[in-house]
Amino acid sequence: VYKRQTLNNPQKHNSLSANDIELFLSHLERLETRPKLRVLVITGNGPKTFCAGVSLAELEGDGAIEELFQELTDKLAKIKIPTICAMNGSAFGGGAEISLCCDFRIGVKGMTVQIPAARFGLCYPINGIQRYIQRLGVNTAKRLLIAAETLDAETLLSGGYLTHLVEKDELTETVEQM
């Protein structure tokens, strides 16, 4: 038995408001009470973007959304069941970290990942920095977090960010097979 969690705001590239993050957290908490659940699949709705991270409009607030987002990524990274991120498109900012928190990241050809926080003068949360270094190594973490490079799908696969790379029309079937 698996549960699919779909980020559903394609008009805004599946960016997350504080309310979206709270809802996501509550879904994760409920999953922990379902002993028959074996896998969590996270994906995005829409043709281009898996997730653009935290809503930029809300980033300009009092900092509460950043703390809430860190709570979400920490909880997702520690969930006790296997997690698959079905990356239906590109990931930006916190969307890249949401996928990095998953055990498997299945990307589609043509997608990219970019974390523009440094370009905006934002400091990335320490837990996220540590996660990037631990899972991808110092050099890839620097390319993403400090240089804010855009990495293509093939680079993401060879660097270990993606565990699988498929054609867009093969994504659902690949997830089902896993």
Side-chain angles (χ1 to χ4, degrees):
V1 176
Y2 75 91
K3 169 73 175 152
R4 183 178 295 265
Q5 174 73 40
T6 303
L7 307 178
N8 194 16
N9 190 2
Q11 317 81 292
K12 295 191 177 184
H13 300 280
N14 297 317
S15 65
L16 301 171
S17 67
N19 288 338
D20 296 328
I21 296 169
E22 288 173 352
L23 184 61
F24 200 155
L25 276 165
S26 70
H27 284 305
L28 293 178
E29 288 169 10
R30 273 185 268 150
L31 294 177
E32 292 176 336
T33 65
R34 296 180 58 193
K36 292 184 180 182
L37 187 65
R38 298 287 182 239
V39 177
L40 171 63
V41 176
I42 299 171
T43 194
N45 186 8
K48 293 182 179 181
T49 310
F50 161 66
C51 180
V54 174
S55 166
L56 291 178
E58 291 190 41
L59 271 177
E60 298 172 1
D62 60 4
I65 195 165
E66 290 95 332
E67 290 177 25
L68 196 59
F69 184 77
Q70 188 169 335
E71 181 182 345
L72 170 65
T73 54
D74 288 347
K75 186 166 198 65
L76 181 57
K78 293 176 184 169
I79 198 163
K80 295 182 187 328
I81 59 172
T83 52
I84 299 171
C85 186
M87 297 182 75
N88 59 300
S90 297
F92 304 95
E97 187 174 352
I98 287 172
S99 62
L100 190 64
C101 290
C102 294
D103 298 306
F104 299 94
R105 289 165 300 284
I106 304 170
V108 294
K109 292 183 179 176
M111 65 164 286
T112 61
V113 167
Q114 183 193 42
I115 304 165
R119 290 185 183 170
F120 296 138
L122 300 173
C123 181
Y124 210 80
I126 191 68
N127 291 7
I129 293 170
Q130 290 171 339
R131 196 173 349 269
Y132 276 93
I133 291 169
Q134 290 169 351
R135 296 193 178 181
L136 303 177
V138 172
N139 289 334
T140 302
K142 286 192 295 187
R143 289 179 72 187
L144 285 167
L145 299 173
I146 297 171
E149 287 183 44
T150 300
L151 301 183
D152 63 34
E154 289 74 19
T155 302
L156 294 165
L157 181 64
S158 66
Y161 181 92
L162 293 176
T163 56
H164 301 77
L165 181 60
V166 299
E167 296 290 341
K168 194 169 197 96
D169 62 353
E170 297 171 347
L171 182 61
T172 301
E173 181 182 335
T174 303
V175 169
E176 295 289 331
Q177 288 175 353
M178 285 190 88

